[in-house]
Amino acid sequence: MVVIGARSSEPWSPLQAPKELVNKFSRDPLLISLASTDFGHIIHENPFAIFAPSTINDISNLIKFSNSLPFPFTIAARGQAHSLQGQSMTNNNGIVVNMTELNRLKNGVGIVVSEEKSSLGYYADVGGEQIWIDVLHATLERGLTPLSWTDYLFLSVGGTLSNAGISGQSFRFGPQISNVHELDVVTDLHTFILTSTGNGDMVKYLRLIYNKFSAFTGDQEHLISLVELNESNAPDYLEGLLLLNQQPLDISFYPEHDQPRVTSLVTQFGILYVIELVKYYDNNTQEHIDEDVNLLVKDLKFVPTFMFQKDVTYEEFLNRVHPDELNLRSEGLWDVPHPWLNLFVPRSRILDFDEGVFKGIILKQNITAGVVLVYPMNRSK
């Protein structure tokens, strides 16, 4: 939500606002400083003031107040501020709305999970300011879970829905926006997220290492096709990542006694491709999970003996990035610039992209790269 108006050379005062809004403005230097940057740490803008709404009407009235002025001020919504190019900021004549203040949406609760199955199935009524880790906890308490996630769960619901919300489940269930029944569009405050019965208590979490991109992407295409073919043994999550011969080399996923083998392989080839593959299971399916996984990987073309797996809880898997965040914060490496680029590349050009970008630019020119993810997607999703 951004209301754009002409820059005013004349100052405006919060005291001009309707009396019910006046006390919701703050010009505290610390709050303004915090609102002057975001996760990207690339763009910096100081707003005129911070606005702390208590209700939907507060935001609506703020917009009306802005539009009543000869020169309306800009308004930027800020949740967890994980934007990368200043989208949650505004100029020094504008207002940043602290969306996290909206913590009482329905009966004093920001997350309401349906008690009984409706014509929609089960659903969660969620405030846009809520974060996904709290949605996960609230739904799991009732044996339910949203179908589609992002890789990082400490993001706001409104924030990820404004950017589609993509992860390794998207090939199967579509992005998060494809799992939304209804939005209150004024502030994207009330969100109805379709849920399913629990996907399982446990996760069989695999990483398969490839030294040939054609084999890697071919296996990705094969695995997501199992959903279109209605195969019962289709993967529940599928993602890919690059393992580059750059320091620091993150091989913490792999067993300690196998780490020298992984390091040697990435040193030999300079770049490896890793499929992350997941199957959910519970007490009823535990007996067959290993057999199911073996059938799933039987014809895949990863480097022999370079398949690694572990068993973790469903929550531990979905929230797997958070421990990395805590570690990076402790080393002072979290609040640094984060240039970020997401692209959809058609299947017909994916091999060219590997040759031109992964090998021709990152590897050949020895450019330091952060996390590089490769999500296979079905166009129908």
Side-chain angles (χ1 to χ4, degrees):
M1 174 195 68
V2 180
V3 179
I4 301 177
R7 287 177 180 260
S8 174
S9 59
E10 301 176 7
W12 63 275
S13 169
L15 296 178
Q16 297 173 259
K19 63 180 181 180
E20 65 269 19
L21 298 184
V22 170
N23 292 332
K24 298 182 185 296
F25 290 98
S26 173
R27 299 204 65 200
D28 181 276
L30 176 59
L31 294 180
I32 288 176
S33 175
L34 290 173
S36 70
T37 189
D38 59 10
F39 182 70
H41 285 288
I42 297 169
I43 306 297
H44 300 273
E45 292 247 34
N46 285 324
F48 177 69
I50 310 300
F51 185 76
S54 300
T55 67
I56 301 170
N57 286 337
D58 286 343
I59 298 176
S60 178
N61 290 333
L62 176 69
I63 295 171
K64 291 175 183 177
F65 168 53
S66 174
N67 289 336
S68 73
L69 298 175
F71 299 98
F73 50 79
T74 59
I75 300 173
R78 180 184 176 94
Q80 298 301 308
H82 265 253
S83 56
L84 299 167
Q85 295 287 339
Q87 295 93 327
S88 62
M89 293 178 234
T90 184
N91 59 42
N92 58 13
N93 198 38
I95 293 294
V96 167
V97 179
N98 182 0
M99 300 296 289
T100 64
E101 292 291 321
L102 288 166
N103 57 6
R104 291 182 292 274
L105 301 179
K106 187 174 182 182
N107 299 324
V109 180
I111 303 172
V112 178
V113 183
S114 63
E115 296 288 345
E116 297 181 0
K117 194 171 186 178
S118 69
S119 58
L120 298 173
Y122 294 99
Y123 65 87
D125 182 354
V126 182
E129 83 294 340
Q130 299 296 318
I131 60 175
W132 284 105
I133 184 66
D134 293 334
V135 175
L136 174 63
H137 290 157
T139 55
L140 284 179
E141 285 178 3
R142 291 167 175 79
L144 301 168
T145 176
L147 297 170
S148 195
W149 295 92
T150 54
D151 286 338
Y152 179 65
L153 300 186
F154 286 75
L155 301 173
S156 68
V157 170
T160 68
L161 292 183
S162 69
N163 288 279
I166 292 174
S167 186
Q169 301 92 351
S170 300
F171 77 94
R172 187 162 191 167
F173 300 110
Q176 289 180 318
I177 53 171
S178 296
N179 294 277
V180 173
H181 174 67
E182 181 177 319
L183 290 172
D184 186 332
V185 179
V186 175
T187 61
D188 76 53
L189 201 59
H190 289 92
T191 309
F192 294 79
I193 302 151
L194 300 183
T195 62
S196 70
T197 53
N199 281 318
D201 300 317
M202 296 294 294
V203 165
K204 184 70 74 171
Y205 184 12
L206 287 80
R207 286 194 180 183
L208 317 174
I209 297 181
Y210 295 73
N211 56 19
K212 294 180 180 178
F213 184 78
S214 58
F216 161 79
T217 190
D219 281 355
Q220 282 193 323
E221 294 286 346
H222 163 70
L223 289 165
I224 67 173
S225 73
L226 299 178
V227 171
E228 300 295 300
L229 296 172
N230 292 317
E231 294 285 344
S232 60
N233 196 35
D236 294 302
Y237 174 99
L238 185 66
E239 194 168 291
L241 57 90
L242 302 190
L243 192 56
L244 298 164
N245 187 23
Q246 296 180 349
Q247 297 302 320
L249 184 62
D250 182 7
I251 54 174
S252 57
F253 176 91
Y254 308 99
E256 188 172 347
H257 65 273
D258 284 310
Q259 290 179 6
R261 290 201 305 132
V262 175
T263 301
S264 177
L265 195 67
V266 73
T267 301
Q268 178 184 351
F269 289 94
I271 181 171
L272 298 175
Y273 311 95
V274 183
I275 284 182
E276 290 190 304
L277 178 65
V278 160
K279 286 289 292 181
Y280 303 142
Y281 67 95
D282 55 25
N283 289 336
N284 295 325
T285 56
Q286 182 175 7
E287 183 179 348
H288 304 290
I289 184 63
D290 289 329
E291 180 183 350
D292 291 343
V293 167
N294 289 336
L295 286 173
L296 197 56
V297 304
K298 179 168 65 75
D299 296 321
L300 301 185
K301 301 177 177 62
F302 54 89
V303 179
T305 75
F306 279 84
M307 180 181 85
F308 305 92
Q309 58 184 296
K310 60 176 65 174
D311 294 271
V312 296
T313 68
Y314 179 70
E315 181 179 342
E316 284 173 337
F317 169 69
L318 290 180
N319 198 32
R320 64 197 178 282
V321 176
H322 188 52
D324 292 336
E325 174 194 350
L326 297 178
N327 182 53
L328 289 170
R329 284 189 184 278
S330 69
E331 296 179 6
L333 298 176
W334 185 256
D335 295 322
V336 298
H338 296 101
W340 201 291
L341 178 65
N342 290 353
L343 297 172
F344 285 102
V345 180
R347 178 181 180 182
S348 61
R349 300 302 304 275
I350 193 68
L351 296 180
D352 295 336
F353 196 85
D354 172 57
E355 289 295 332
V357 178
F358 296 156
K359 293 175 182 171
I361 296 178
I362 295 176
L363 186 60
K364 186 175 181 180
Q365 299 182 27
N366 196 29
I367 292 177
T368 299
V371 178
V372 182
L373 302 178
V374 182
Y375 296 87
M377 291 283 288
N378 284 316
R379 186 182 295 271
S380 62
K381 300 298 183 183

